[in-house]
Amino acid sequence: MTKRSKEPVLPEKASFARPNADQKRPPVPKRDEKPVMGLKSNKNFLHTNAVENIMSVAKKPQPKYVDTPGGTTNNLEDSGLVPKFVKKDNYGTVPKYLEARKKQMAEHQKNYEEYIQQRLQKGALNQITAAERQKTLDGLKKNWEELHLQYQGLSVVTDTAPKKARKERMEAEMKQLEKDIDTIEKHKIIYVTDNF
């Protein structure tokens, strides 16, 4: 190993040229050079400016709104107060994803109805009549009322384990009855299988 062999080797020197060297501005005038004097223009600036202002189209002011008593102004278009969305071409049309979702839901409903019809033909499902459904619903409500009456008759203080267990059991039974009543009230058509 020689001395300084591990130092990085720099590239060879190359002359640097600026990319816009050909677009140089004229040099600064020297101290003894006198400026060009006596140049006059025949242009009437007052008349020209007046004609330009008369012929120009007036600028439309940017719409703004004031939201404080102090007079703070904000841009009206960005505020959301201008009904931009209503003026769009596709305003009022149902979006494509909703149409696809509706079609998908209809297809699922059709498949479900076909499945139910197949099960009905096999005799595996029986549809409950409206009278049976109402009778079941009335029975559940009656059971809940009886249980609720017993629950109200319990003592307020549940100091012993049997009292606490009885209260919890009654609450669980009432909760289950409420769930069953909600289920039957939600669904107008109910199918029951023969083999539970």
Side-chain angles (χ1 to χ4, degrees):
M1 269 187 141
T2 59
K3 193 175 181 183
R4 295 186 180 174
S5 62
K6 290 188 177 179
E7 286 184 5
V9 180
L10 295 173
E12 290 292 324
K13 279 187 180 179
S15 60
F16 175 75
R18 295 189 182 277
N20 55 353
D22 55 338
Q23 299 172 354
K24 274 189 175 180
R25 285 185 280 180
V28 177
K30 294 194 172 143
R31 193 170 48 151
D32 54 347
E33 284 182 18
K34 290 187 176 177
V36 179
M37 308 270 294
L39 288 176
K40 287 188 177 180
S41 174
N42 293 333
K43 185 176 181 182
N44 187 350
F45 288 98
L46 294 174
H47 183 264
T48 309
N49 285 347
V51 169
E52 278 179 10
N53 286 331
I54 290 167
M55 300 300 287
S56 65
V57 179
K59 269 189 180 179
K60 205 171 184 181
Q62 197 173 13
K64 293 187 176 188
Y65 71 97
V66 180
D67 62 348
T68 59
T72 307
T73 58
N74 295 306
N75 194 359
L76 185 64
E77 288 180 7
D78 300 336
S79 68
L81 299 170
V82 179
K84 285 184 187 175
F85 188 72
V86 178
K87 294 177 182 175
K88 284 189 176 181
D89 295 337
N90 61 350
Y91 178 75
T93 57
V94 180
K96 290 179 182 176
Y97 76 92
L98 283 180
E99 288 176 358
R101 179 80 175 144
K102 197 173 180 182
K103 192 188 255 183
Q104 188 182 11
M105 292 278 285
E107 195 175 313
H108 285 308
Q109 185 65 30
K110 184 181 169 192
N111 291 342
Y112 176 71
E113 286 171 5
E114 286 175 6
Y115 169 74
I116 293 294
Q117 288 299 326
Q118 288 174 0
R119 298 288 289 184
L120 283 172
Q121 286 173 358
K122 289 180 183 177
L125 291 176
N126 294 326
Q127 185 176 347
I128 293 177
T129 60
E132 287 176 343
R133 178 180 170 275
Q134 192 59 42
K135 188 179 175 184
T136 309
L137 197 58
D138 292 341
L140 285 171
K141 285 181 179 178
K142 188 179 176 187
N143 288 350
W144 186 86
E145 285 171 8
E146 288 173 3
L147 200 61
H148 187 65
L149 195 66
Q150 288 177 12
Y151 182 77
Q152 284 180 331
L154 289 174
S155 63
V156 178
V157 180
T158 53
D159 49 355
T160 61
K163 282 184 182 178
K164 195 174 185 181
R166 186 168 183 230
K167 184 181 176 186
E168 287 174 357
R169 182 179 50 79
M170 286 179 120
E171 284 174 351
E173 285 177 15
M174 283 170 61
K175 204 171 205 177
Q176 184 60 43
L177 282 170
E178 285 169 5
K179 277 176 86 176
D180 294 343
I181 289 167
D182 284 345
T183 305
I184 291 173
E185 282 178 343
K186 272 184 193 173
H187 305 288
K188 302 291 180 193
I189 301 168
I190 298 172
Y191 297 101
V192 180
T193 58
D194 291 337
N195 49 352
F196 279 81

